[in-house]
Amino acid sequence: MEERAVAVMNVLADTRHAFDGVARDYDRSNAQNRTICAMRERLWQTVDRFVTPGSSLLDLGCGPGCDVERFAARGYRVTGVDWSPAMVQEARHRVRQAGTNADVRHVGIHELDRLAPTVFDAAYSDLGPLNCVTDLSRAATLIGDRLRPGGLLIASVIGRVCPWEIALYSARRQWARARVRYSPAMTAVPLEGRTVWTRYYTPESFERAFLDAGFHRVSLRALGLFVPPPYMDAFAGRHPALVDTLQRLDDRVGDWPGMRSCGDHFLIVMRKS
Ligand SMILES: C[S@@+](CC[C@H](N)C(=O)[O-])C[C@H]1O[C@@H](n2cnc3c(N)ncnc32)[C@H](O)[C@@H]1O
């Protein structure tokens, strides 16, 4: 097999192994993290704003199914896909327990053609699954093929320029850590002793990968611009009033030019022409 194909398979296998390892506790720990909850709520609001209940939704990298359950309960017809079998199992369990009607499939974003010929009114991807794909342009084509003309992609994506992270690690003189998001290559990110391969994007570089697949941008805002990143949850817990103020600031100026290119994540809406 060609060397590059083997490298891609290894990257995908590592990432799957890492998410399999945390699947059981993933949802509980995320539900306790106020920044993650705030980011998730903003994706929910965006889907609610752009897509009417009753529409078909594809959740790209659904993890343990928190969003699948939420949208299914609101009357959307949801299909969740994830590359980690353990996450898929958690999501199916969750949907069953909630008594909601949704389909969860063990399908990677890189193999979305397995869902053909089904097409969806919209797709969303919450909290970074698209950072884990090895070829974003190819993923954009595959996602575009699964959307009807005029269909939307709503994605929260881990960004490159995170002011808190740069300040924090520069203050500690950990220069390599401060620069980690600037690598154009996939980066090995540790997760409970295993490795998630991650590529960080500016909104512009992310959007470029989707242009050839016929998408254009509808809206863009920063998430976690003034609010510290999710891994600083202990700080957020000690300073709840400050973080509430920073959250309001994020919501107020997060879509301003300049501001919207920064942040721990960005939330982008794109339409397939
Ligand atoms: C940070 S978690 C987010 C999970 C979920 N969207 C949420 O908001 O809780 C990233 C998820 O993306 C999944 N993932 C990683 N690479 C993937 C790929 N190539 N295809 C589909 N899912 C993938 C992981 O298994 C994991 O469940």
Side-chain angles (χ1 to χ4, degrees):
M1 198 185 291
E2 196 192 317
E3 212 175 301
R4 187 180 137 67
V6 173
V8 166
M9 275 174 57
N10 289 340
V11 161
L12 288 170
D14 282 351
T15 297
R16 178 169 59 189
H17 185 56
F19 281 111
D20 276 349
V22 297
R24 181 157 280 198
D25 261 354
Y26 199 73
D27 196 49
R28 195 166 46 79
S29 60
N30 275 358
Q32 289 166 356
N33 185 304
R34 49 191 296 148
T35 308
I36 286 186
C37 291
M39 289 180 176
R40 190 183 296 291
E41 209 176 301
R42 276 140 192 87
L43 179 128
W44 287 356
Q45 290 163 355
T46 307
V47 174
D48 290 348
R49 181 174 150 218
F50 283 100
V51 191
T52 49
S55 305
S56 56
L57 282 177
L58 174 61
D59 184 330
L60 301 162
C62 64
C66 174
D67 300 331
V68 172
E69 182 196 340
R70 194 266 182 187
F71 288 117
R74 274 171 172 68
Y76 294 91
R77 292 173 288 130
V78 191
T79 299
V81 296
D82 202 280
W83 177 234
S84 149
M87 288 289 192
V88 168
Q89 200 181 330
E90 289 296 319
R92 285 181 179 153
H93 178 69
R94 181 180 185 124
V95 165
R96 238 188 345 263
Q97 292 279 100
T100 45
N101 194 12
D103 189 20
V104 182
R105 308 274 296 272
H106 178 220
V107 174
I109 295 166
H110 51 282
E111 50 179 14
L112 277 180
D113 45 351
R114 285 179 49 206
L115 298 185
T118 309
V119 289
F120 298 84
D121 295 314
Y124 64 88
S125 185
D126 203 0
L127 295 166
L130 290 169
N131 294 87
C132 299
V133 302
T134 53
D135 182 342
L136 190 62
S137 299
R138 168 93 184 117
T141 302
L142 290 168
I143 294 166
D145 288 347
R146 300 276 63 79
L147 288 175
R148 65 162 172 81
L152 289 172
L153 171 66
I154 298 161
S156 80
V157 179
I158 311 173
R160 186 168 291 171
V161 185
C162 176
W164 269 96
E165 186 163 301
I166 296 166
L168 178 72
Y169 289 105
S170 298
R172 293 180 184 168
R173 297 179 174 275
Q174 295 178 356
W175 309 116
R177 180 63 186 83
R179 276 198 312 267
V180 92
R181 297 188 187 216
Y182 287 83
S183 168
M186 293 203 93
T187 300
V189 176
L191 180 67
E192 310 254 330
R194 298 180 182 182
T195 300
V196 174
W197 288 94
T198 305
R199 186 177 275 121
Y200 301 94
Y201 296 99
T202 60
E204 295 73 22
S205 61
F206 184 83
E207 203 180 325
R208 247 191 324 272
F210 282 82
L211 288 180
D212 285 345
F215 285 86
H216 63 271
R217 191 214 297 169
V218 175
S219 76
L220 172 66
R221 63 157 290 178
L223 296 173
L225 174 62
F226 297 105
V227 170
Y231 57 79
M232 291 182 68
D233 193 49
F235 173 90
R238 285 196 302 277
H239 305 282
L242 170 66
V243 172
D244 283 349
T245 305
L246 297 176
Q247 184 63 66
R248 280 197 293 278
L249 204 54
D250 264 19
D251 289 337
R252 183 146 193 169
V253 308
D255 63 351
W256 288 10
M259 300 289 181
R260 63 189 177 204
S261 295
C262 304
D264 182 63
H265 280 62
F266 57 87
L267 179 56
I268 190 163
V269 181
M270 288 185 284
R271 189 180 295 282
K272 181 185 151 181
S273 304

